[in-house]
Amino acid sequence: MSSESPADPGWISARPTRAVEVLERLVSFPFLLARHRDLVSTSVRRGLEARFQGTLFGWVWPLVQPLFLFAVYYFIFTKLLHQRIPDLPAGEESALGVYMFVGLLTWSGFAEATLHGTNVIVENGNLIKKLTFPSELLPLNVTLVAQVTQVFGLLAFVLLCLFSPIWPAPGPGLLWVPVLLLLQGLFTFGLALFLSTLQVFLRDTLQFVGILLTLWMFATPIFWVPELTPPEALDPYRWLFDGNPIYHLVCAWRGALMGDVLIPGRVPPIHAVSVAGIPHAVLVFALWALLAYVLGYTFFVLSQRRFADEV
Amino acid sequence: MSTGDRYALEVEGLGKAYRMYPGPLRRVLEGLSFGRYRGHHEFWALRGVELCMRPGSSLGLCGANGAGKSTLLKILAGTTAPTEGRYRVRGRVASLLELGAGFHADFTGRANIVMNGVMMGFTRREIEAKMDSIVDFAELGEFIDEPVRTYSSGMGLRLGFSIAVAVDPEVLIVDEVFAVGDMYFQKKCVDKIYAFKRANKTILFCSHSLYDVRQMCDEALWLDHGRPMAQGDSVSVTNEYSAFQRHHIGAGEVTKDQFPPSPRAAGRSAEALPRILDARIYRLGADEECYRYATGDSFEIRVWWENPRPLETPIHLGIGFMRQDLTTCGGAGTQLSGFELLGTRGCTVLRVPEVPLLSGHFLVPVILLDEGGVHRYQEFLMSESLVVRTNTREVGLFRLDTSWENRDLPLPARSSPSGGAR
């Protein structure tokens, strides 16, 4: 496998990381995770606690933030801009609000981890320089912290549906939730690995990512429904959805949480909210997630040995 | 197994170059050119280091700031990769490279112990099991349950060192961090390091205190500008280093950490500062330089000094006798005796008739102090330590002036309980 390993085990030298070793790291990541599970759980807890420690409302904040944002956007798009879904049956008039909420929940989970993850290696330069631990756990930590926050939002949504008439409680679609969380985590983790590595060598990355995320958010149907636009106006931009991993992710989340709520046979149908569409969306997103993980982790592993010198 | 297996640590031709980029643009161009363009120049922080350490041995690193000591420790601790050469460590490595590295200021001492422990690869359960011994060793009292931001730097050291030694490593790497500990904790650290050596563990240690290097290490490595200058037993290497330092101080090349200028003298050239030129031990009243005496012998310590501006920087001399475990057994100071050092240069002699010290090796630090006896201009390390032999069977540190006799006296009446309580 490697020329010097069998003869002199344990030597650490200056030779560059081999392709085989990169592959080994990619495949054995779950084992790394298992070995350091206590580090992962402790730092996720620490990350969450650190965020709200000393605040008066503590754990209320992760619930309040998405709700507040949702209220603002809902007001702008439905009250000021008069966007609405026509011909909704009784009991489902708030479809557009729920549509936005689910989209925003997914988006903020992803965007928060990506933005914060971009800076995570540079930010923790002191740890990288002074302690020996697997540094890929830093972007992972950021991803997991954002996901826990997202799960809080999910819980709030489910509870709201159960105890209020706003929206019918989600049904078997909820079974997709673990799969979606896993895939979203994989995608975000891969992207964070890539961007955090880039940020080590090029500090402009963070600025760039900030702008990119804003563009990306408006390019993704979070606050608008593409099916409400006439098809001939939409068709030139079809590639924008098909090539956008987050669009597929958001479709799957909406299908899972909202279910088949819209009138069957209605024209035009809203693709984003359909249980039947989930497997396809999940499959497309899974490929994206795998790609992000492989590329991001490879870039990370190849550059890792220089982190301590550059941060 | 091969012969190399006996070593706890092997280092072959180790070197580290840092890439220095003039700006971010060069870095981008270099990255985009895939090796065709080179936008950096290399700075070799360390080069050509060869080491072999057996289990139970200890190595001290000395050298000026920027000599590559920390770089070497960082490579061996595994936080940064070598640029050339290779190394191999057997067993678990614990490193204390910086005070409070990895501590989260808002969390309590206990929470940080857990966090630091899991970062070293332990499980929570293992850390919980070690928790009591760590807390006991750190002796932080109530503070262990307070946020770390309320700690002083000395308390941070206590916590950090306690964690590093509690993980029971085979190789312990300690960068210069002891300086902030109080005397009591320093003593505890020294004891712990001795205990480690007895347990056949390997210690790498970096310090500006040549006493510490001599005391705690069998071997020493002196680095200068990243290159090894001398390597071998700690006494001869520290001698060479201090001789080099003396030469450089004499030549006016003074680095801050070895020769800190006093606040009053700040901004002034190094030549204007007082300094010790040399110090040696002679037989009392004779010109025979000698460092080996028997208890009861007499000797004198001659100190040659220079003080270019005696009116601005009045000086005092302090001389101590320090046993190997860093117990100061005695000392003398000109400011304590009301003795004055006048003029721009001179030779001051401390007479020690009939030395009462019992057998042992003693370091004799000669310290040049300011007029208040607070600021140290210089600590001079003599090339040899003082060896005292005792030909009798006396015990202890000193020969006490005692005598025995027999007397015919009645047994005293036992004092009453009330009288005893009062």
Side-chain angles (χ1 to χ4, degrees), chain A residues 4 7-15 35-51 53 126-134 138 200-204 304-310, chain B residues 10-12 14 16-19 21 24 27-28 74 77-90 93 95 97-98 100-104 106-107 112 114-116 118-125:
Chain A
E4 50 187 46
D8 330 300
W11 285 103
I12 297 171
S13 69
R15 64 169 176 74
R35 207 163 48 243
H36 292 277
R37 60 189 179 281
D38 277 353
L39 173 54
V40 173
S41 64
T42 311
S43 32
V44 168
R45 201 173 312 158
R46 193 180 88 157
L48 289 166
E49 280 173 11
R51 233 151 105 197
Q53 198 163 58
N126 203 32
L127 296 188
I128 304 260
K129 273 196 255 194
K130 304 292 178 187
L131 299 174
T132 38
F133 67 101
L138 288 173
V200 169
F201 300 106
L202 188 67
R203 302 293 160 98
D204 307 52
Q304 198 174 16
R305 53 191 287 119
R306 284 179 56 201
F307 282 172
D309 306 341
E310 303 280 353
Chain B
E10 290 164 274
V11 174
E12 289 177 4
L14 204 68
K16 174 82 192 176
Y18 288 102
R19 294 183 185 185
Y21 291 90
R27 190 195 296 272
V28 174
K74 268 196 260 177
T79 60
T80 187
T83 312
E84 63 177 24
R86 56 181 194 165
Y87 72 95
R88 170 160 69 175
V89 187
R90 297 189 169 274
V93 184
S95 55
L97 294 179
E98 194 186 83
F103 285 166
H104 194 297
D106 284 333
F107 289 89
N112 272 299
V114 173
M115 195 63 217
N116 238 301
V118 290
M119 287 196 105
M120 291 179 182
F122 288 95
T123 65
R124 277 186 90 88
R125 189 187 297 263

Side-chain angles (χ1 to χ4, degrees), chain B residues 231-311:
Chain B
Q231 197 168 348
D233 75 284
S234 58
V235 174
S236 59
V237 171
T238 49
N239 281 344
E240 264 185 75
Y241 176 52
S242 58
F244 174 84
Q245 260 184 312
R246 237 171 285 153
H247 176 256
H248 272 238
I249 290 168
E253 274 185 43
V254 180
T255 48
K256 270 189 180 166
D257 58 295
Q258 296 148 8
F259 199 66
S262 78
R264 278 180 57 192
R268 211 182 291 151
S269 77
E271 284 101 316
L273 287 170
R275 61 171 179 259
I276 293 170
L277 301 170
D278 204 354
R280 290 156 195 260
I281 303 180
Y282 294 83
R283 287 201 183 279
L284 187 69
D287 271 340
E288 183 196 348
E289 191 177 344
C290 177
Y291 294 86
R292 295 173 171 272
Y293 297 92
T295 306
D297 284 356
S298 304
F299 59 82
E300 59 185 43
I301 301 173
R302 300 180 189 174
V303 182
W304 288 269
W305 51 267
E306 190 177 64
N307 187 9
R309 302 186 188 182
L311 294 177

Side-chain angles (χ1 to χ4, degrees), chain A residues 181-195:
Chain A
L181 278 176
L182 184 75
L183 288 177
Q184 188 186 338
L186 194 68
F187 181 78
T188 316
F189 178 49
L191 200 62
L193 281 169
F194 181 83
L195 292 172

Side-chain angles (χ1 to χ4, degrees), chain B residues 2-175:
Chain B
S2 69
T3 52
D5 290 348
R6 290 201 304 267
Y7 293 111
L9 174 75
E10 290 164 274
V11 174
E12 289 177 4
L14 204 68
K16 174 82 192 176
Y18 288 102
R19 294 183 185 185
M20 316 293 271
Y21 291 90
L25 183 63
R26 303 287 183 95
R27 190 195 296 272
V28 174
L29 290 177
E30 184 178 302
L32 292 177
S33 76
F34 290 100
R36 282 193 295 276
Y37 168 78
R38 206 180 110 131
H40 67 269
H41 69 269
E42 285 178 338
F43 168 73
W44 286 90
L46 192 73
R47 204 155 203 192
V49 175
E50 307 275 341
L51 271 180
C52 278
M53 290 179 72
R54 287 175 196 287
S57 65
S58 52
L59 177 88
L61 296 177
C62 53
N65 284 353
K69 305 185 295 290
S70 297
T71 303
L72 178 57
L73 293 185
K74 268 196 260 177
I75 294 174
L76 297 180
T79 60
T80 187
T83 312
E84 63 177 24
R86 56 181 194 165
Y87 72 95
R88 170 160 69 175
V89 187
R90 297 189 169 274
R92 186 189 280 278
V93 184
S95 55
L96 194 57
L97 294 179
E98 194 186 83
L99 274 183
F103 285 166
H104 194 297
D106 284 333
F107 289 89
T108 65
R110 261 179 225 279
N112 272 299
I113 291 175
V114 173
M115 195 63 217
N116 238 301
V118 290
M119 287 196 105
M120 291 179 182
F122 288 95
T123 65
R124 277 186 90 88
R125 189 187 297 263
E126 285 171 309
I127 295 298
E128 301 291 348
K130 289 176 196 289
M131 181 64 84
D132 286 342
S133 71
I134 297 174
V135 171
D136 284 349
F137 191 85
E139 289 187 57
L140 291 170
E142 307 280 298
F143 276 96
I144 197 70
D145 293 312
E146 296 290 325
V148 166
R149 72 179 128 78
T150 64
Y151 286 21
S152 69
S153 51
M155 291 160 76
L157 165 74
R158 283 177 173 228
L159 193 59
F161 187 80
S162 308
I163 298 170
V165 296
V167 304
D168 201 31
E170 269 79 51
V171 179
L172 180 67
I173 295 178
V174 187
D175 205 341

Side-chain angles (χ1 to χ4, degrees), chain A residues 58-96:
Chain A
W59 285 102
V60 178
W61 284 116
L63 299 180
V64 166
Q65 276 157 356
L67 288 174
F68 175 75
L69 266 181
F70 161 68
V72 170
Y73 283 110
Y74 186 70
F75 176 76
I76 291 175
F77 282 98
T78 63
K79 302 292 166 198
L80 292 181
L81 299 176
H82 295 289
Q83 192 189 33
R84 52 179 42 113
I85 302 173
D87 307 328
L88 283 171
E92 295 181 359
E93 291 88 350
S94 51
L96 193 61

